[in-house]
Amino acid sequence: MTRIPAPVEPPVAVTIAGSDSGGGAGIQADLKTMEAHGVFGTSVVTSVTAQNTRGVEGAFTLPVEAIEEQCSAVLSDFDVRAVKTGMLAEAPVVRSVAEQVEKLEIPVVVDPVMVATSGDRLLDSDGEAAYEELIEHATLVTPNADEAAVLTGVKPEDDESANSAGEELLELGADAALVKGGHVPGEQVRDVLVSEDGVEIFAHDRIETDATHGSGCTLASAVAAGLAQGDALRESVAQATAFMERAVRYHLNVGKGPGSVHHLVELRNEAARDSTAETVERVVQSFVERDVSRLVPEVGMNVVGATPYAEAVGETAAVEGRITRTMSGVKPNRGVRFGASSHVARFLLSAREFDPDLRFAVNCRFDDDVESALATLSGEVAEFDRSAEPTDVKEREGSTMGWGARRAFESADETPVAIIDRGEVGKEAIVKLLAAETEELQRRTFAVLSALET
Ligand SMILES: Cc1ncc(CO)c(N)n1
């Protein structure tokens, strides 16, 4: 029997950029990022770089004719919904690309690539001057602070100067500018979006890593993918900056240099949801079979599992309605669902700020006997004291768990296997067991139970 085809019609985008033999930046980053967003990526190669995670060893610009032929091959065939430009290497290429995109009536995201993260130049000085012609046709231009300074003469050092640089780029004809804050010192990375609608800042805590190779390409491609799907500019930028944050935090440790951003991190995280929920279900089942009632606190027990790159409560699976005691043992009140736990989930997410390998947690009853039983575990048992909690943290709904996890980790020498919260008036004492794997969580929980029974 033959089968009926079931074609899929994804939006199409094109990247006009350089090839990075190292796979982290350039065309390679762009295509992976577009695919990760459900957008079919086509490409026009401007330059072939000999590059790895340590730096650029050579760059060979293609003849303008070869670049133009690729453009017309793509644009004459596909219904291209967005253009992203990256490394253009030399002035004639910049000018040619400006001419090509002028004729188009689709969004154009211009990432004015000048220098690689490694410090190597990717654009000659004539090329810098030629950029004005391309920026004129940009829907969005995405310079980092150094590129913004070259293009506008204004060096972004804070929100205000980033805003001024953005205004200058609008003067040059761009519809909007995203002046990126990665190169501006500070505990936060603040990307400043300037457009006719005003200024909006997309801020997040800085991630302490030099594995940012490919981050500019990835961000611009993520915005272009959003635009290709028909999303508004603001939403595309918001989505792209959140996507980047995760791609940098869970970067790929490849090569001998600093590594690469993780272009597919969200896909991998989504793909792990079912297996994460299933492992939580299995642990819960084993807790029922083993009858863990001695460890079930008054507030109920929960087992929480985070997807490998979880950053939010919605990415953690837990028992809806918790596990409670019955006449004969324990039972989960309802099924395992993502977002079902708030307390234990937030505690686990905060613990992951210190050790991202941690993926599972369970909250247990705490008393003197449990404390002695915990001492039989191999691994550090840490604790935090609610009486030391600042009132502003106490008053902010849902912030105690994050504060407690931080206190405990800061006082511990290594990743603790358990964290004690001795409670206070009206707050039951609880111990949370943490683990990177479910087997480990099970083993530790059962070890505490066995110690209690002897
Ligand atoms: C090909 C290429 N494009 C862009 C960058 C910017 O990171 C790079 N390193 N290589």
Side-chain angles (χ1 to χ4, degrees):
M1 196 191 89
T2 61
R3 301 189 68 204
I4 296 167
V8 177
E9 256 181 73
V12 177
V14 62
T15 165
I16 305 175
S19 164
D20 168 12
S21 55
I27 291 274
Q28 288 78 0
D30 298 341
L31 294 178
K32 285 183 243 190
T33 303
M34 287 172 183
E35 284 296 337
H37 282 79
V39 170
F40 186 84
T42 60
S43 58
V44 170
V45 181
T46 56
S47 170
V48 174
T49 71
Q51 189 176 176
N52 57 29
T53 56
R54 289 188 283 203
V56 181
E57 290 168 13
F60 305 85
T61 309
L62 265 66
V64 169
E65 191 191 353
I67 297 166
E68 288 178 353
E69 268 200 49
Q70 293 176 77
C71 277
S72 76
V74 169
L75 295 167
S76 64
D77 185 32
F78 296 89
D79 176 16
V80 177
R81 298 290 174 88
V83 180
K84 179 253 157 175
T85 71
M87 175 186 178
L88 301 178
E90 296 168 14
V93 180
V94 178
R95 274 191 225 109
S96 158
V97 171
E99 276 168 35
Q100 306 271 330
V101 301
E102 186 180 0
K103 294 178 271 182
L104 304 174
E105 281 171 5
I106 51 175
V108 178
V109 178
V110 173
D111 181 22
V113 173
M114 294 180 183
V115 179
T117 308
S118 55
D120 302 286
R121 276 196 82 114
L122 297 171
L123 179 72
D124 64 15
S125 51
D126 290 348
E128 287 177 1
Y131 252 97
E132 286 200 7
E133 289 170 48
L134 179 56
I135 288 169
E136 198 184 322
H137 308 298
T139 307
L140 178 72
V141 54
T142 62
N144 60 34
D146 305 318
E147 291 156 355
V150 170
L151 295 171
T152 69
V154 180
K155 185 156 178 56
E157 286 169 332
D158 50 27
D159 293 351
E160 212 181 352
S161 45
N163 186 4
S164 310
E167 295 284 355
E168 291 290 327
L169 291 161
L170 265 53
E171 286 286 314
L172 290 175
D175 297 339
L178 182 68
V179 181
K180 298 177 291 186
H183 294 189
V184 180
E187 279 198 11
Q188 277 197 330
V189 173
R190 300 172 68 79
D191 296 334
V192 180
L193 177 65
V194 185
S195 71
E196 276 190 346
D197 299 335
V199 183
E200 187 169 355
I201 296 174
F202 298 89
H204 60 79
D205 289 341
R206 184 176 297 274
I207 297 153
E208 279 298 327
T209 175
D210 51 2
T212 54
H213 178 64
S215 58
C217 310
T218 301
L219 179 75
S221 291
V223 176
L227 296 173
Q229 283 166 321
D231 295 341
L233 181 69
R234 193 220 153 259
E235 278 61 45
S236 299
V237 169
Q239 162 275 120
T241 52
F243 170 83
M244 256 326 293
E245 183 183 7
R246 201 188 303 239
V248 172
R249 179 158 198 237
Y250 303 101
H251 61 263
L252 299 167
N253 195 6
V254 291
K256 297 189 177 67
S260 160
V261 301
H262 192 165
H263 315 90
L264 301 187
V265 68
E266 290 207 340
L267 280 189
R268 293 272 176 261
N269 197 46
E270 292 280 309
R273 281 172 81 92
D274 281 357
S275 62
T276 302
E278 280 158 19
T279 43
V280 171
E281 271 158 20
R282 273 200 301 277
V283 178
V284 172
Q285 195 49 44
S286 76
F287 281 12
V288 172
E289 279 160 22
R290 175 71 172 77
D291 185 2
V292 296
S293 41
R294 173 69 181 83
L295 285 176
V296 174
E298 293 307 319
V299 294
M301 171 187 271
N302 218 336
V303 177
V304 179
T307 53
Y309 312 114
E311 300 269 88
V313 167
E315 294 165 347
T316 66
V319 179
E320 180 119 51
R322 299 195 164 190
I323 299 165
T324 47
R325 266 179 282 189
T326 64
M327 302 285 272
S328 55
V330 300
K331 72 163 180 16
N333 282 305
R334 287 188 290 282
V336 168
R337 181 176 71 77
F338 277 92
S341 161
S342 61
H343 270 72
V344 188
R346 272 188 272 109
F347 191 81
L348 176 60
L349 290 169
S350 297
R352 285 172 54 77
E353 292 295 319
F354 294 86
D355 185 348
D357 286 338
L358 290 172
R359 288 189 53 204
F360 299 94
V362 58
N363 62 327
C364 301
R365 167 183 294 278
F366 180 78
D367 53 37
D368 291 346
D369 294 336
V370 173
E371 186 161 19
S372 314
L374 287 169
T376 65
L377 292 178
S378 59
E380 187 168 347
V381 177
E383 65 177 87
F384 65 90
D385 177 5
R386 277 177 185 261
S387 68
E389 187 182 5
T391 39
D392 61 320
V393 177
K394 254 195 184 104
E395 279 161 10
R396 224 176 319 127
E397 178 65 27
S399 53
T400 299
M401 287 300 109
W403 172 84
R406 250 174 279 128
R407 283 285 284 212
F409 270 82
E410 278 161 7
S411 68
D413 296 322
E414 55 184 78
T415 296
V417 295
I419 296 178
I420 298 165
D421 163 8
R422 292 180 192 274
E424 61 183 2
V425 180
K427 293 281 179 201
E428 185 185 7
I430 296 280
V431 59
K432 293 182 191 70
L433 305 186
L434 295 166
E437 283 163 25
T438 43
E439 294 76 20
E440 221 168 35
L441 190 75
Q442 250 166 11
R443 207 172 342 100
R444 286 178 188 152
T445 311
F446 293 168
V448 173
L449 263 182
S450 302
L452 281 167
E453 286 159 1
T454 52

